């Protein structure tokens, strides 16, 4: 059964497209300023540039809370990020939005299925929310725009048609490998990932995926998701997937207890469904984590590919952040 979007929800291929639509819905365009954390990937910056607006960066501390949202100029929208599915405290953002008459956009790209301690679904707490479902499920696309403000929901864009296309070779191959792996008890996916990393290192000089500096100026064009991805989303067993993620969080936490790293979050808050296990550490420490968690079938990745204007002055905690991804 295909998902029919609720009145206040629209589906897109990518969350960066949902972000463009959120900004446009908020009336943002050329001449406007949008407040965004420095700790962010280039794709979100591209969403702001696509509307013609200018990003203004705020810094975040080691616990990923904003340090200061006091600005010397008005901003039209403020983006708050629920990093790795952990709920951001929105109070300070709401106060800043009231001061400027700005729209609060809750970037919940990482937090599909996650809620805050009052059991409010992440992505439903700001004026507008976005979710990147494809980051939590093995599907090539799928993202949500959630319009929570009654006023703004009057102008929500029409749902773009779903694209009639299969999941694709890469995704089907990964699934097949996972199925075979279950029967053979061999770490096939790990071997495949090592191969991909080797090819990437030969091609780009680094085993980590990188994006061009121009990525933050890419003009983003919205499209609907594939019908095949939407079907996978509708088939998801939410309860099982949530339990799997919480179990993995606990297993990874235990496995890396003696590594020379610092987990970003001390505890998993109630109702939080984590995107992964996030930590600070050197490259060597992350390699050791990778070695330990690979038996759980998960992978440590470096995040994020910082915007160019942030890289030059990025503190240690922006540059040495890793996440064990629970895909
Ligand atoms: C915090 C955050 N927001 C938005 C996005 C964009 O998501 P998508 O890749 O689905 O466009 C990302 C991508 O990494 C992200 O990390």
């Amino acid at each position: 059964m295909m998902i029919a979007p609720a009145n206040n929800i629209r589906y897109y291929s990518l969350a960066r497209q949902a972000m463009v639509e959120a900004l446009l819905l908020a009336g943002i365009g050329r001449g406007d300023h949008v407040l965004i954390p420095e700790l962010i990937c280039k794709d979100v910056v591209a969403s702001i540039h696509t509307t013609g607006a200018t990003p203004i960066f705020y810094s975040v501390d080691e616990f990923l809370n904003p340090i200061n949202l006091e600005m010397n100029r008005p901003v039209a929208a403020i983006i708050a990020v629920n990093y790795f599915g952990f709920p951001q405290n929105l109070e300070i953002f709401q106060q800043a939005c009231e001061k400027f008459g700005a729209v609060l956009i809750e970037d919940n790209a990482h937090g599909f299925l996650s809620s805050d301690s009052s059991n409010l679904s992440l992505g439903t707490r700001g004026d507008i929310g976005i979710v990147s479902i494809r980051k939590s499920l093995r599907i090539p696309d799928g993202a949500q725009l959630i319009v929570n403000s009654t006023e703004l929901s009057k102008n929500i864009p029409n749902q773009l048609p779903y694209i009639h296309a299969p999941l694709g070779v890469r995704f089907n191959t990964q699934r097949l490998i996972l199925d075979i792996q279950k029967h053979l008890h061999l770490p096939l996916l790990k071997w495949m990932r090592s191969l991909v990393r080797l090819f990437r290192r030969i091609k780009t000089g680094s085993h980590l995926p990188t994006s061009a500096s121009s990525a933050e100026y890419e003009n983003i064009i919205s499209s609907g998701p594939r019908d095949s991805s939407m079907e996978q989303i509708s088939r998801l067993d939410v309860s099982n997937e949530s339990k799997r993620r919480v179990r993995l969080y606990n297993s990874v936490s235990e496995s890396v207890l003696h590594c020379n790293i610092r987990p970003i979050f001390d505890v998993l808050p109630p109702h939080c469904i984590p995107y992964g296990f996030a930590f600070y550490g050197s490259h060597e420490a992350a390699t050791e984590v990778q070695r330990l968690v690979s038996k759980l079938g998960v992978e440590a990745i470096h995040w994020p590919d910082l915007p160019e204007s942030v890289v030059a002055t990025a503190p240690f905690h922006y540059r040495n952040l890793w996440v064990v991804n629970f895909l």
Side-chain angles (χ1 to χ4, degrees), residues 4-175:
N7 282 345
N8 68 329
I9 296 182
R10 295 294 179 262
Y11 287 89
Y12 293 91
S13 180
L14 305 172
R16 66 200 77 173
Q17 299 169 353
M19 181 61 88
V20 171
E21 300 296 334
L23 293 165
L24 294 176
L25 188 60
I28 278 137
R30 199 160 297 285
D32 287 325
H33 293 97
V34 175
L35 207 49
I36 179 173
E38 289 174 336
L39 186 69
I40 198 74
C41 55
K42 290 175 177 158
D43 309 317
V44 190
V45 179
S47 301
I48 299 176
H49 284 142
T50 296
T51 68
T54 306
I56 303 189
F57 293 95
Y58 62 86
S59 37
V60 297
D61 63 20
E62 293 177 14
F63 303 101
L64 311 185
N65 299 316
I67 290 175
N68 183 6
L69 295 180
E70 283 299 315
M71 290 296 131
N72 53 11
R73 69 181 116 195
V75 291
I78 303 182
I79 296 174
V81 178
N82 298 314
Y83 292 103
F84 315 116
F86 283 68
Q88 181 70 247
N89 181 352
L90 294 186
E91 223 174 283
I92 174 174
F93 291 94
Q94 280 151 348
Q95 285 163 5
C97 281
E98 261 170 44
K99 181 173 161 196
F100 292 120
V103 172
L104 177 56
I105 301 177
E106 188 182 9
D107 180 338
N108 189 42
H110 301 171
F112 179 53
L113 306 181
S114 192
S115 299
D116 69 9
S117 51
S118 318
N119 212 1
L120 276 177
S121 293
L122 304 191
T124 65
R125 305 177 306 156
D127 297 310
I128 310 178
I130 64 150
V131 186
S132 182
I133 306 173
R134 74 186 194 100
K135 286 197 185 302
S136 296
L137 301 188
R138 242 172 241 289
I139 45 176
D141 60 5
Q144 280 176 326
L145 168 75
I146 310 173
V147 185
N148 306 306
S149 143
T150 320
E151 197 51 38
L152 293 175
S153 69
K154 290 178 189 153
N155 296 321
I156 189 167
N158 290 334
Q159 174 63 54
L160 295 172
Y162 298 164
I163 294 164
H164 187 53
L167 288 178
V169 177
R170 187 174 146 222
F171 287 85
N172 285 324
T173 311
Q174 275 187 357
R175 283 194 175 184

